[in-house]
Amino acid sequence: MAEQVRMVDIYIMGRHYQVPEGLTIMTALEYCGYRMIRGCGCRAGFCGACATVFNFKNDPQLRYDLACQKTIEQDMYLVQIPFFPSAKALYNLEEVEATGEQVLTLYPDLVKCFGCNTCTKTCPQELEVMWFMSDALRGDIREVANKSFDCVMCGLCAARCPQGLVPYNIALLCRRLYGRYLAPTSKHLEDRLAEIETGKFDAELEELKNMSQDKLRRRYAERDIEPAY
Amino acid sequence: MYPTYMKESIRKVEATRERRLKETFPRITEEEKTSLLQKFHPDFIKEGMRELLVGSNKGERTPNEMADVLEGNSRINPDKIDLDKIDYDVDVLVIGGGGAGASAALLAQENGATVLLTTKLRLGDANTVGAQAGTQAADRPNDSLAIHYLDTMGGGRFTNIPELVEVLVKDAPSVIKWLETLGVNWDKNPDGSMHELSGGGASRLRLHSARDYTGLEEMRVLRDEVKNRKIDYLEFSPTIELIMDNKGQIGGAILVNLETNELSLVRAKAVVMATGGTGRLHIQGFPTTNHYGATADGLVLAYRVGAKLIFMDTMQYHPTGAAYPLQILGQLVTEKVRTLGAQLVNVDGEQFIMPLEPRDVVASANIRECQERHKGIETPSGEVGVWLDSPMIDIIGGEGTIARQLPAMVRQFSRFNIDIIKEPMLVYPTLHYQNGGIKINTNGATIVPGLFAAGECEGGVHGRNRLIGNSTLDIFVFGRRAGRAAAQYAKEVKLGTLTLDHVRQWQAELKQAGLAELRPISPLLLPNYARQPYDYLPDYTKQILTVGQIKVA
Ligand SMILES: Cc1cc2nc3c(=O)[nH]c(=O)nc-3n(C[C@H](O)[C@H](O)[C@H](O)COP(=O)(O)OP(=O)(O)OC[C@H]3O[C@@H](n4cnc5c(N)ncnc54)[C@H](O)[C@@H]3O)c2cc1C
Ligand code: FES
């Protein structure tokens, strides 16, 4: 079913190349002979290594995406941002509190956010970055955790923030605070840990470990299966 | 967007959906399973494997691509390296910045060791971030360590090493707790109980997840903790050879700066290998779900110092890699899609396998449906696949289930104008996981004194087939154990004089077997996807470009 492949004009750091249509920015770079060292990780949209900036020959407005996920388009001008220096507060999670004041102590510049919304427009995951920044300002840690959850930490928000803020690191702090201090605890997990402590399962495990292959296979075949949903 | 002819097949899928919702495809019998696997699973393709000719696994079979790197030539000339010029001197060196490496580094430091972590790409660029579905731990009241043990052994065809499985299931609940204490956000019900899911081969709902970004969540937190604890780490600095001492113990490693080719020498009393998987070797030409640096380096390095590898003849092919669109070919469509209720159906909209059979079985069934029964769907670029009927999920779980539980999947396909809430996904098996690896004991120790291993690069925990959710468990269980044990070992060991004689011996062995000229240099470090014609180069420059250098033309 293969038809004649259409070629697309792109510009990598200003230089013109022609590549077959349908490639991602990342595979287009490779097609042109670039061997990636930086700017390439999971190749699947999960790690944020491949933050990319582009615009078009006749349209100077900058756009942002993940190079491994974005398909090339005619007349794209491309460059990657594999590294951007940005601040990360160091803290001992056991010695901090899950409060808005704490977030502000660790990231005092947060108050400088003036709501320009550049971060939201930049986010390749299409997260409501500016809104979770204002949640952080108000000390609503749970909402920051919720809204920022799909963050791959590519750093584009920090690269573009005119105030030099680091939304992705602030969100990470909030998620950790939420997980450690605010999420309701699981009683069944605590119970199970206590049972393991008292050696409740030891005898049964010992028996299984020493069981003949045949018997083990039978036990396996006969085990009851909980419905999936 | 699907082309029109594919849409026609989708209409058949829609037409049978209502009937299929009430239909449970029968589980396959043990006999059928065996014959299906033998006929269609890539592990059984004879031409795909060969016997190793050198090293501690000589005579054992492994995929050709794996054999090539295991029998590879060293990247260094030992005579040109001055072992007196040490750049880093530490108790424990951790090689690899994924989940296993980060856990090992944290625990080694907690146990009093000075630690250096070194990794190939950025800290956290690893298979760990890709994990979507979740992590197993038997912590619900109707579950038990024994049931988890049984499921794991059965999944591994009863070939797993029992002692390793025992500690896997026993440490599991404490791993979940440890991660939560570090701030991981598990999916929970309003009362705080874990919202757990079922997975192929697991007889209880046991998968702890964080939406469909479980591994990303685990890795973000651990990476942050490594930074908070001020553990030294080096990025873009893969290990290219281990250093020994004159007593046959591990003595450190040689690292290379990927961008400048400059070497650094590390003296370390103990080394934890945590280099992850193999997918980028593209065994039998399969696409892969693995990250860019998954090239079996740890196996190569450990093999060269005499460690034993096990189950090197079995790879895991995930049954559902994306087959369309081409841009995401081979990328993972998480098992969670099937866990939540989606069935696998052929071009006529008919089921052909119970979707939650073990992975090797489902993968083989998908291959059979396409290759033997010709009931697959061909894509415009010539790939073939079967449908994974995702819209069923919202019918079963209620509207909004897909959006809530599978945001990463929705996002990935919507980029190409495919709405998985309304349309199925086209899938085909993809190279996913290395079942075997470096042989370890319950502390992650190998037979080489001072060399520990944890995570996907080690083998035995999963036998011949790993269950979903047991790998992101394995990396924390054995990462923590190996880190702790390495710190302890480092306190006791007395290092002798450093040496690279093992590299000299290895090269001599290769030469004797007539392989030195035939094999590539390894570890591979990165796959070469760049379209760079080197044909015009005179031979002498090719030498310079390939020997002892990063470039592998
Ligand atoms: C897409 C995907 C989805 C998955 N989903 C699940 C799931 O839902 N549940 C589950 O349990 N498992 C899942 N798995 C499997 C699981 O995620 C991995 O097996 C596991 O995370 C491996 O962890 P690791 O730390 O051993 O290796 P990795 O996370 O791969 O880390 C290895 C690290 O070593 C580095 N490295 C490699 N070579 C060198 C070298 N020479 N020198 C220095 N550093 C080196 C790498 O760069 C990397 O940082 C999935 C895997 C993938 C790819
Ligand atoms: S390479 Fe990981 S997000 Fe693109």
Side-chain angles (χ1 to χ4, degrees):
Chain A
M1 241 171 271
E3 291 157 29
Q4 187 72 36
V5 193
R6 202 168 71 87
M7 299 301 271
V8 177
D9 298 280
I10 58 167
Y11 299 82
I12 299 171
M13 291 179 275
R15 182 175 172 139
H16 176 228
Y17 294 90
Q18 280 199 323
V19 300
E21 89 178 324
L23 299 183
T24 61
I25 292 176
M26 183 173 286
T27 49
L29 285 165
E30 289 170 337
Y31 182 88
C32 296
Y34 284 83
R35 187 162 194 217
M36 316 294 289
I37 293 178
R38 289 190 186 254
C40 178
C42 65
R43 302 178 72 98
F46 284 85
C47 77
C50 62
T52 291
V53 176
F54 61 92
N55 59 12
F56 292 92
K57 201 171 175 181
N58 296 316
D59 179 359
Q61 196 201 329
L62 285 182
R63 287 133 168 122
Y64 313 88
D65 220 315
L66 300 173
C68 70
Q69 297 297 298
K70 178 71 186 168
T71 310
I72 46 141
E73 292 165 32
Q74 176 68 25
D75 287 341
M76 249 182 187
Y77 268 74
L78 301 166
V79 68
Q80 283 198 287
I81 308 189
F83 178 81
F84 187 81
S86 55
K88 189 200 110 57
L90 296 180
Y91 52 91
N92 178 340
L93 193 68
E94 290 306 308
E95 288 169 6
V96 292
E97 281 172 32
T99 61
E101 291 81 71
Q102 182 74 69
V103 177
L104 274 174
T105 325
L106 289 169
Y107 289 102
D109 285 351
L110 183 52
V111 295
K112 291 192 198 156
C113 173
F114 57 78
C116 69
N117 208 30
T118 307
C119 48
T120 302
K121 285 187 237 153
T122 308
C123 181
Q125 293 286 87
E126 299 179 332
L127 304 179
E128 298 280 5
V129 186
M130 190 193 74
W131 288 120
F132 74 64
M133 288 295 274
S134 76
D135 292 331
L137 254 177
R138 277 188 293 106
D140 190 346
I141 289 171
R142 185 197 157 104
E143 243 337 280
V144 184
N146 180 37
K147 289 201 184 89
S148 74
F149 200 83
D150 300 358
C151 170
V152 294
M153 303 190 68
C154 68
L156 277 169
C157 52
R160 288 294 286 157
C161 176
Q163 299 292 71
L165 304 181
V166 280
Y168 70 108
N169 277 335
I170 294 172
L172 175 64
L173 169 66
C174 292
R175 285 193 306 272
R176 292 191 68 186
L177 289 172
Y178 180 75
R180 170 70 184 85
Y181 295 108
L182 303 177
T185 52
S186 299
K187 185 167 175 304
H188 64 91
L189 176 61
E190 301 298 330
D191 292 348
R192 182 52 43 89
L193 288 167
E195 286 170 350
I196 293 172
E197 195 65 36
T198 60
K200 182 176 171 190
F201 303 99
D202 292 356
E204 203 181 354
L205 276 177
E206 203 53 39
E207 188 200 338
L208 287 175
K209 242 172 55 184
N210 295 315
M211 199 173 267
S212 73
Q213 274 262 345
D214 277 357
K215 221 167 147 194
L216 200 63
R217 278 175 192 273
R218 220 168 317 129
R219 275 281 274 277
Y220 178 73
E222 285 163 4
R223 77 205 199 289
D224 65 307
I225 294 176
E226 183 177 12
Y229 37 85
Chain B
M1 218 180 329
Y2 291 113
T4 326
Y5 76 93
M6 288 173 80
K7 284 205 166 140
E8 278 162 25
S9 172
I10 292 181
R11 268 190 279 287
K12 292 186 189 159
V13 175
E14 287 164 351
T16 57
R17 193 173 286 146
E18 203 164 328
R19 187 191 82 225
R20 283 185 290 108
L21 276 164
K22 293 178 226 121
E23 193 177 277
T24 324
F25 202 84
R27 270 180 192 271
I28 179 169
T29 66
E30 284 300 316
E31 280 152 29
E32 283 169 337
K33 205 182 264 181
T34 311
S35 87
L36 177 66
L37 290 173
Q38 283 181 357
K39 206 151 166 215
F40 294 100
H41 196 279
D43 280 357
F44 290 89
I45 308 282
K46 287 216 173 57
E47 312 80 73
M49 302 248 180
R50 68 164 195 259
E51 275 179 19
L52 287 165
L53 299 173
V54 287
S56 29
N57 287 67
K58 192 169 161 176
E60 291 176 28
R61 292 169 70 77
T62 192
N64 295 328
E65 296 80 357
M66 179 70 81
D68 283 346
V69 294
L70 287 178
E71 296 173 344
N73 288 282
S74 176
R75 286 179 175 275
I76 54 153
N77 177 351
D79 298 337
K80 296 212 170 151
I81 294 193
D82 181 358
L83 291 173
D84 290 330
K85 293 214 177 95
I86 293 294
D87 301 288
Y88 302 89
D89 199 348
V90 292
D91 294 332
V92 176
L93 171 70
V94 177
I95 304 176
S103 311
L106 289 170
L107 267 284
Q109 194 204 40
E110 258 172 60
N111 284 276
T114 55
V115 179
L116 174 68
L117 185 153
T118 178
T119 191
K120 180 157 37 183
L121 302 166
R122 300 177 313 168
L123 181 58
D125 286 347
N127 278 354
T128 302
V129 279
Q132 299 173 22
T135 301
Q136 289 206 35
D139 59 7
R140 283 169 63 249
N142 74 342
D143 201 356
S144 81
L145 305 193
I147 306 177
H148 190 184
Y149 180 94
L150 207 54
D151 286 345
T152 305
M153 292 297 288
R157 309 261 171 278
F158 305 95
T159 55
N160 323 42
I161 297 177
E163 288 70 30
L164 298 180
V165 182
E166 181 185 28
V167 299
L168 180 83
V169 303
K170 210 166 168 179
D171 282 7
S174 63
V175 157
I176 299 295
K177 175 77 186 172
W178 178 65
L179 290 170
E180 179 159 81
T181 310
L182 288 172
V184 164
N185 295 203
W186 295 119
D187 287 350
K188 289 185 172 183
N189 302 313
D191 67 354
S193 60
M194 298 279 174
H195 182 76
E196 296 180 34
L197 300 166
S198 93
S203 64
R204 293 289 182 279
L205 309 187
R206 193 187 291 135
L207 279 179
H208 299 67
S209 51
R211 302 193 187 168
D212 56 353
Y213 285 109
T214 308
L216 173 67
E217 168 67 351
E218 292 166 339
M219 194 70 239
R220 294 188 291 216
V221 164
L222 288 177
R223 174 173 51 204
D224 198 46
E225 191 62 11
V226 166
K227 291 181 181 174
N228 280 351
R229 301 239 195 119
K230 303 195 181 75
I231 293 175
D232 283 331
Y233 63 90
L234 293 170
E235 300 181 315
F236 300 96
S237 300
T239 298
I240 53 172
E241 210 65 75
L242 293 171
I243 302 174
M244 301 291 285
D245 77 357
N246 59 345
K247 302 190 232 172
Q249 308 172 133
I250 282 290
I254 302 177
L255 323 180
V256 68
N257 179 326
L258 268 186
E259 288 167 309
T260 64
N261 286 353
E262 187 191 6
L263 299 187
S264 307
L265 267 50
V266 185
R267 174 167 40 217
K269 293 178 182 155
V271 167
V272 180
M273 196 62 80
T275 51
T278 309
R280 294 283 157 191
L281 296 185
H282 294 293
I283 288 164
Q284 293 187 29
F286 272 85
T288 183
T289 60
N290 284 194
H291 84 115
Y292 191 43
T295 51
D297 298 359
L299 304 185
V300 171
L301 298 169
Y303 198 59
R304 240 169 242 176
V305 296
K308 181 93 184 147
L309 310 178
I310 49 171
F311 300 123
M312 288 317 294
D313 56 342
T314 150
M315 295 291 148
Q316 185 168 85
Y317 296 81
H318 197 289
T320 60
Y324 183 88
L326 193 57
Q327 288 93 330
I328 55 169
L329 181 71
Q331 286 176 26
L332 184 66
V333 174
T334 172
E335 185 169 322
K336 193 169 171 183
V337 178
R338 279 173 288 141
T339 299
L340 292 167
Q343 293 168 349
L344 284 160
V345 295
N346 62 21
V347 67
D348 300 325
E350 295 300 341
Q351 289 201 81
F352 52 89
I353 187 81
M354 207 283 284
L356 289 176
E357 296 280 5
R359 286 191 175 160
D360 49 357
V361 175
V362 183
S364 304
N366 288 355
I367 295 174
R368 176 181 64 190
E369 205 62 17
C370 297
Q371 311 297 351
E372 190 187 61
R373 297 179 176 168
H374 303 292
K375 293 261 178 180
I377 298 91
E378 197 178 332
T379 72
S381 58
E383 313 295 329
V384 60
V386 294
W387 295 115
L388 180 59
D389 195 11
S390 48
M392 295 180 69
I393 297 173
D394 271 13
I395 304 178
I396 294 167
E399 213 173 297
T401 311
I402 298 177
R404 202 168 50 248
Q405 297 271 0
L406 298 165
M409 283 289 95
V410 172
R411 187 175 278 124
Q412 195 149 40
F413 280 83
S414 74
R415 284 173 169 279
F416 307 102
N417 296 320
I418 294 171
D419 180 359
I420 66 165
I421 297 171
K422 300 206 183 79
E423 294 164 314
M425 298 173 244
L426 197 72
V427 295
Y428 194 74
T430 176
L431 180 57
H432 188 51
Y433 185 79
Q434 165 198 302
N435 291 311
I438 306 165
K439 190 167 183 216
I440 54 164
N441 69 12
T442 53
N443 280 326
T446 68
I447 55 169
V448 181
L451 180 63
F452 297 78
E456 192 167 340
C457 71
E458 106 308 83
V461 182
H462 311 288
R464 304 189 64 83
N465 178 49
R466 170 190 67 102
L467 293 189
I468 183 176
N470 266 353
S471 178
T472 52
L473 173 59
D474 169 352
I475 62 180
F476 304 122
V477 168
F478 290 96
R480 285 160 50 89
R481 283 175 169 261
R484 205 183 292 128
Q488 193 55 41
Y489 170 90
K491 280 184 198 147
E492 291 152 15
V493 70
K494 291 268 170 302
L495 274 193
T497 341
L498 299 187
T499 168
L500 290 169
D501 277 348
H502 59 286
V503 180
R504 296 188 181 89
Q505 274 158 24
W506 174 259
Q507 287 302 134
E509 209 181 324
L510 283 185
K511 205 161 168 196
Q512 210 179 4
L515 297 176
E517 311 275 297
L518 300 176
R519 295 295 176 255
I521 54 170
S522 66
L524 183 62
L525 304 182
L526 293 175
N528 192 0
Y529 298 141
R531 235 176 29 112
Q532 281 181 352
Y534 284 122
D535 299 351
Y536 58 84
L537 293 175
D539 287 347
Y540 61 88
T541 50
K542 266 189 209 157
Q543 277 285 323
I544 296 167
L545 278 170
T546 50
V547 177
Q549 296 276 334
I550 298 310
K551 265 230 152 88
V552 199

